[in-house]
């Protein structure tokens, strides 16, 4: 892991190094790294296995993630995981986010209610956000289009 690409990630250096050592598990040459952040809480990072660059850090989930080495699709809080809760009345509400890995960047392609699978509508208003890893600022067409680990401005 190249911590120079995002020094803040060093706080989970052991977890990131151990998971990276297992090799790619997402979209051909990326490694999705997971660690627990409490009961019903997981955090994820994505590292390019070719050069160790950290592409995403601190993606939060309640119901885990779905991904594979052979696919560019990453789903945070998959609806099938949320639906498996034994008591939906007491389960935590969460948004299921679907991303596509494209040219080394995750592109948000859809959001749903994690428990019902219902597509979520989002207000059409420009939302500015900053990528904490690269420092890039960008305007998104809606607040729902801002990746969960970006800082909304």
């Amino acid at each position: 892991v190249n911590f120079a690409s995002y020094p803040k990630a060093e706080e989970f250096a052991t977890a990131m190094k151990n998971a990276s050592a297992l090799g790619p598990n997402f979209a051909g040459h990326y490694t999705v790294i997971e660690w627990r952040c409490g009961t019903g809480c997981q955090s994820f990072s994505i590292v390019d296995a070719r050069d160790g660059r950290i592409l995403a850090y601190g993606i939060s989930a309640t119901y885990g993630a779905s991904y594979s080495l052979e696919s560019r699709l990453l789903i945070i809080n998959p609806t099938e995981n949320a639906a498996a809760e034994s008591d939906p009345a007491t389960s935590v509400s969460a948004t299921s986010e679907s991303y596509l890995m494209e040219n080394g960047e995750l592109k948000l392609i859809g959001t749903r209610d994690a428990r019902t699978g219902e597509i979520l509508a989002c207000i059409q208003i420009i939302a500015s956000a900053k990528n904490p890893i690269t420092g890039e600022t960008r305007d998104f067409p809606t607040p729902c289009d801002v990746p969960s680990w970006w800082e909304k401005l």
Side-chain angles (χ1 to χ4, degrees):
V1 179
N2 177 359
F3 291 105
S5 64
Y6 191 62
K8 184 179 178 182
E10 286 192 82
E11 75 181 289
F12 292 101
T14 302
M16 294 188 71
K17 287 177 184 176
N18 290 343
S20 292
L22 300 174
N25 59 11
F26 172 57
H29 59 87
Y30 300 97
T31 304
V32 176
I33 299 165
E34 175 183 351
W35 63 90
R36 300 288 176 186
C37 48
T39 302
C41 178
Q42 306 90 44
S43 285
F44 297 88
S45 290
I46 299 175
V47 173
D48 188 327
R50 296 176 304 184
D51 60 13
R53 187 170 48 104
I54 299 167
L55 302 174
Y57 176 81
I59 302 169
S60 295
T62 303
Y63 301 113
S66 177
Y67 54 89
S68 77
L69 181 63
E70 298 79 25
S71 174
R72 296 183 301 135
L73 182 65
L74 170 73
I75 303 173
I76 302 299
N77 294 319
T79 55
E80 61 271 15
N81 291 4
E85 288 288 317
S86 58
D87 184 1
T90 61
S91 63
V92 177
S93 177
T95 300
S96 177
E97 299 173 333
S98 298
Y99 294 93
L100 188 65
M101 179 60 81
E102 192 170 272
N103 299 320
E105 186 175 344
L106 287 175
K107 306 272 186 182
L108 183 66
I109 58 173
T111 57
R112 296 177 177 266
D113 181 293
R115 288 184 289 165
T116 67
E118 178 182 342
I119 295 173
L120 299 175
C122 195
I123 186 169
Q124 296 292 306
I125 185 170
I126 301 296
S128 298
K130 178 180 177 182
N131 183 325
I133 296 173
T134 66
E136 171 192 9
T137 58
R138 186 185 304 173
D139 289 335
F140 292 87
T142 75
C144 296
D145 294 319
V146 177
S148 62
W149 68 96
W150 282 48
E151 300 166 357
K152 292 180 182 174
L153 303 175

